[in-house]
Amino acid sequence: MPDLAPYAAREEISRGRQYQEKSPDYRSEYQRDRDRIIHSAAFRRLEYKTQVFVNHEGDMFRTRLTHSIEVAQIGRTIARALWLNEDLTEAICLAHDLGHTPFGHAGQDILNECMKPFGGFEHNLQSLRVVDLLEERYADFPGLNLTFETREGILKHCSRKNAKILGDIGQRFLNNQQPGLEAQIANIADEIAYNNHDVDDGLRSGLINLHQLEEIDIFREQFHYVRKTWPGLHGRRVSHEVVRRMINKLVTDLVTTSKQKIAHYHPDSINDIRNAGEPMITLGEDTKAQHLQLKQFLHRELYQHHRVEKMTSLAKEKVRELFAEYMQRPGLLPEDVQLRIKQASGRGASVEAARITADYIAGMTDRFAIAECERVRQSVD
Ligand code: MG
């Protein structure tokens, strides 16, 4: 690994793992985190989870897995350019969506609605739950026992109510502190990745077109450049060239602006980063406005497109139905899940039963949820 900035996360000053372990022999602690994430079951299931388009809509669209890989690619580039910890950035990026339900945001919204009486459901918190508790891979501890810094990056948002329950990892939300720069990078790399790949997937799906996108400053700028520079170019190579140039513009602006911001604050350590009043990884004002304009366009024209909404409303019904059926007839759940519910007796047992049911549903892939819904319907007695 190249030299790290003094304010980068370093394993020598890591706040460590929940369960003490011997240091790895030939990997860094953050490489170990990344490797544990890649070997997890939740990571493999990302392959069949919706990003925007439900998995069976076509083989060419992004899934949560390819999205996470693109986020990691962008994140690593930024981390290296800023002399920050690339391994940690990669680990956070690869893990950031592990808690996502089937059917994308529609699935998460409906599961949150179902869970309202039991404390709600939030995919960020669920990602942390996956790595802290739900993965079953090691003899000595539940979950993946990741370092504090990786967990800190995974927990991007958190309500004050939940932060109080979470202990050290929730503390920064109560103290208005920032996470390390590697976590800040993962956060923005996520947005850069999805805004750009959703332009690509949106065009491919035919739900949005170049004419509409020409209204959007960052797209128009690059589109006109591409048309002028390669007048004979047509088809996918045009839009792909535009998208790659947009990513490059955003990443370049982010690196330049963040360098300036870091120079301004002149931090000596990761603690100075945490105690700064604002994030130091940021886009410049103009580019930030352009990026926001693109994001708002996608919300309006793609995510709320009637075909996407039709797809997601069907998905919502499935999640709602599964939750209601499992809660009413726990016998439909796999035996190990039933056992966990039975073990949660006494006060708060129904809350715990709902949480275990939500964990089970959240872990499903799109296709498993669809098949499971059929099975549940057929088992009506
Ligand atoms: Mg994401």
Side-chain angles (χ1 to χ4, degrees):
M1 179 164 292
D3 281 350
L4 292 179
Y7 40 82
R10 287 196 312 278
E11 58 180 25
E12 310 87 80
I13 50 159
S14 168
R15 288 173 65 177
R17 301 177 189 275
Q18 221 167 341
Y19 301 88
Q20 279 225 327
E21 290 185 69
K22 189 176 153 288
S23 294
D25 292 332
Y26 44 84
R27 291 179 292 174
S28 74
E29 295 285 359
Y30 302 124
Q31 270 182 292
R32 172 143 83 179
D33 280 1
R34 177 206 55 204
D35 298 348
R36 286 183 176 182
I37 290 157
I38 288 177
H39 285 270
S40 70
F43 185 72
R44 282 195 299 283
R45 290 196 299 256
L46 294 177
E47 184 175 3
Y48 298 105
K49 289 195 182 203
T50 295
Q51 182 64 27
V52 173
F53 296 92
V54 178
N55 190 242
H56 58 258
E57 290 272 313
D59 291 346
M60 297 300 281
F61 298 122
R62 266 70 174 187
T63 65
R64 286 260 162 221
L65 180 66
T66 60
H67 160 70
S68 301
I69 293 169
E70 290 184 35
V71 175
Q73 179 275 313
I74 291 170
R76 285 179 53 193
T77 300
I78 300 166
R80 198 183 294 193
L82 295 173
W83 302 286
L84 296 169
N85 199 308
E86 203 175 319
D87 292 335
L88 172 61
T89 308
E90 185 180 17
I92 299 170
C93 291
L94 291 176
H96 86 283
D97 271 350
L98 288 180
H100 257 289
T101 61
F103 312 122
H105 282 280
Q108 117 110 24
D109 291 348
I110 205 68
L111 199 52
N112 186 30
E113 202 181 297
C114 296
M115 285 295 288
K116 268 277 135 65
F118 311 103
F121 177 90
E122 207 273 305
H123 71 86
N124 250 251
L125 205 54
Q126 189 68 12
S127 297
L128 191 67
R129 209 170 145 76
V130 167
V131 300
D132 280 357
L133 282 173
L134 299 180
E135 281 291 325
E136 298 179 294
R137 307 195 68 79
Y138 302 95
D140 287 331
F141 44 78
L144 306 179
N145 197 31
L146 303 180
T147 59
F148 178 89
E149 293 74 25
T150 302
R151 296 169 63 235
E152 174 189 49
I154 291 173
L155 192 65
K156 199 161 63 175
H157 311 289
C158 183
S159 66
R160 288 182 72 84
K161 192 177 113 231
N162 285 326
K164 282 181 193 156
I165 308 166
L166 286 172
D168 60 352
I169 205 78
Q171 210 55 42
R172 79 177 162 95
F173 299 97
L174 303 173
N175 301 345
N176 285 326
Q177 283 171 309
Q178 305 298 323
L181 293 181
E182 291 79 1
Q184 296 181 28
I185 290 176
N187 192 4
I188 298 193
D190 183 25
E191 286 193 30
I192 295 178
Y194 68 66
N195 283 329
N196 283 283
H197 65 49
D198 289 350
V199 166
D200 183 24
D201 281 355
L203 285 170
R204 185 184 298 278
S205 69
L207 300 186
I208 54 173
N209 58 50
L210 292 174
H211 181 65
Q212 286 172 297
L213 277 161
E214 267 194 276
E215 302 284 309
I216 307 307
D217 297 342
I218 191 170
F219 189 92
R220 186 181 53 248
E221 219 173 76
Q222 304 304 328
F223 184 52
H224 286 184
Y225 179 87
V226 170
R227 281 239 288 244
K228 208 172 87 198
T229 313
W230 296 279
L233 197 67
H234 53 254
R236 292 236 163 83
R237 285 172 70 183
V238 175
S239 57
H240 288 163
E241 184 64 37
V242 174
V243 168
R244 72 170 274 266
R245 299 185 76 83
M246 288 199 298
I247 296 175
N248 186 53
K249 175 181 168 153
L250 289 163
V251 169
T252 306
D253 182 278
L254 187 76
V255 168
T256 313
T257 313
S258 303
K259 269 185 187 165
Q260 288 163 357
K261 198 130 224 176
I262 292 167
H264 170 75
Y265 275 96
H266 199 65
D268 286 327
S269 70
I270 192 168
N271 282 335
D272 289 347
I273 303 288
R274 289 187 173 127
N275 294 324
E278 57 173 348
M280 290 185 213
I281 302 296
T282 180
L283 290 166
E285 289 306 318
D286 291 349
T287 312
K288 194 190 279 180
Q290 284 195 345
H291 198 213
L292 183 65
Q293 188 195 25
L294 175 63
K295 184 178 179 162
Q296 287 167 340
F297 167 84
L298 288 166
H299 268 273
R300 203 172 57 238
E301 304 297 334
L302 183 62
Y303 311 148
Q304 290 172 25
H305 191 286
H306 66 90
R307 260 184 57 200
V308 174
E309 295 235 304
K310 191 174 154 209
M311 205 160 71
T312 51
S313 66
L314 286 173
K316 279 184 182 177
E317 286 318 305
K318 294 196 195 304
V319 171
R320 198 197 305 274
E321 197 176 325
L322 283 175
F323 186 82
E325 288 289 343
Y326 289 147
M327 287 297 279
Q328 240 171 24
R329 298 190 291 157
L332 288 168
L333 290 159
E335 272 175 29
D336 61 316
V337 182
Q338 286 186 45
L339 190 68
R340 285 178 59 208
I341 291 178
K342 275 185 200 135
Q343 283 163 350
S345 57
R347 255 182 80 215
S350 66
V351 174
E352 192 53 22
R355 183 61 57 195
I356 294 166
T357 305
D359 286 340
Y360 181 58
I361 295 175
M364 292 179 181
T365 60
D366 294 0
R367 58 185 192 174
F368 183 83
I370 292 167
E372 186 62 6
C373 214
E374 273 312 302
R375 186 186 73 90
V376 164
R377 277 177 195 167
Q378 277 164 17
S379 73
V380 171
D381 33 43

